[in-house]
């Protein structure tokens, strides 16, 4: 418990009981998750409390937010090893709808025209995952 509190505090997040519980569930997820997923995992907690914690974690770069075109905002735990918070590539299966974090693959550098300045980038590849391919 102390480790979680320290981790949140290091990222500028006051470790309240709700935030600790939401963070514990978030780090248990192997792949991306939605607000609805978290609600199912935490039926004792109201939706707005979970949402506020997820927003706060995103704002403090503890979570990546992924818009994979499915209509539901997805999240994954940030495991970036440096402070530049470089996003990784995500893969969305067009059959099952699951979005996977491909943490070992970084978003390629894109040359922008003069006058344009990149602030952030999302890179989602769509196809069929190994589970649905068979």
């Amino acid at each position: 418990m102390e480790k979680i509190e320290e981790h949140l505090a290091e990222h500028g997040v006051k470790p309240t009981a709700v935030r600790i519980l939401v963070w514990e569930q978030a780090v248990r997820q192997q792949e991306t998750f939605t607000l609805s997923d978290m609600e199912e995992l935490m039926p004792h907690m109201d939706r707005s409390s979970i949402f506020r914690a997820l927003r706060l974690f995103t704002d403090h770069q503890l979570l990546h937010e992924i818009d994979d075109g499915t209509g539901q905002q997805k999240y994954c735990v940030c495991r970036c090893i440096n402070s530049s918070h470089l996003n990784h590539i995500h893969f969305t299966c067009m059959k099952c709808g699951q979005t996977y974090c491909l943490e070992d693959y970084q978003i390629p550098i894109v040359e922008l025209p003069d006058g344009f300045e990149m602030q952030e980038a999302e890179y989602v590849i769509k196809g069929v995952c190994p589970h649905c391919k068979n």
Side-chain angles (χ1 to χ4, degrees):
M1 179 76 84
E2 211 173 288
K3 202 172 196 177
I4 292 172
E5 291 176 7
E6 288 174 16
H7 184 68
L8 294 177
E10 285 172 5
H11 284 84
V13 175
K14 182 179 178 185
T16 66
V18 167
R19 293 171 186 165
I20 291 168
L21 291 172
V22 173
W23 184 249
E24 285 176 333
Q25 282 299 329
V27 296
R28 287 185 187 136
Q29 305 313 301
Q30 296 298 313
E31 298 299 338
T32 61
F33 57 91
T34 64
L35 174 59
S36 297
D37 294 334
M38 293 298 276
E39 282 183 286
E40 287 179 26
L41 293 167
M42 307 177 80
H44 59 283
M45 194 174 295
D46 67 286
R47 180 180 182 89
S48 62
S49 294
I50 297 170
F51 178 75
R52 284 192 305 270
L54 294 176
R55 289 287 342 131
L56 184 66
F57 296 157
T58 301
D59 291 344
H60 288 264
Q61 299 183 338
L62 287 160
L63 295 177
H64 288 283
E65 229 175 0
I66 305 119
D67 180 359
D68 61 5
T70 61
Q72 281 196 327
Q73 192 65 43
K74 294 185 179 174
Y75 304 91
C76 67
V77 174
C78 176
R79 294 182 173 88
C80 297
I81 56 174
N82 61 39
S83 61
S84 64
H85 195 66
L86 293 173
N87 290 341
H88 49 268
I89 294 173
H90 296 95
F91 182 95
T92 298
C93 179
M94 296 172 71
K95 286 191 175 184
C96 67
Q98 177 65 48
T99 298
Y100 299 89
C101 296
L102 304 179
E103 294 178 358
D104 294 334
Y105 300 89
Q106 290 187 358
I107 295 173
I109 295 172
V110 176
E111 285 289 327
L112 296 174
D114 287 342
F116 289 85
E117 181 183 322
M118 184 177 75
Q119 298 295 315
E120 58 184 70
E122 287 187 44
Y123 198 94
V124 178
I125 299 171
K126 296 181 181 185
V128 180
C129 73
H131 304 290
C132 293
K133 193 173 181 178
N134 300 329

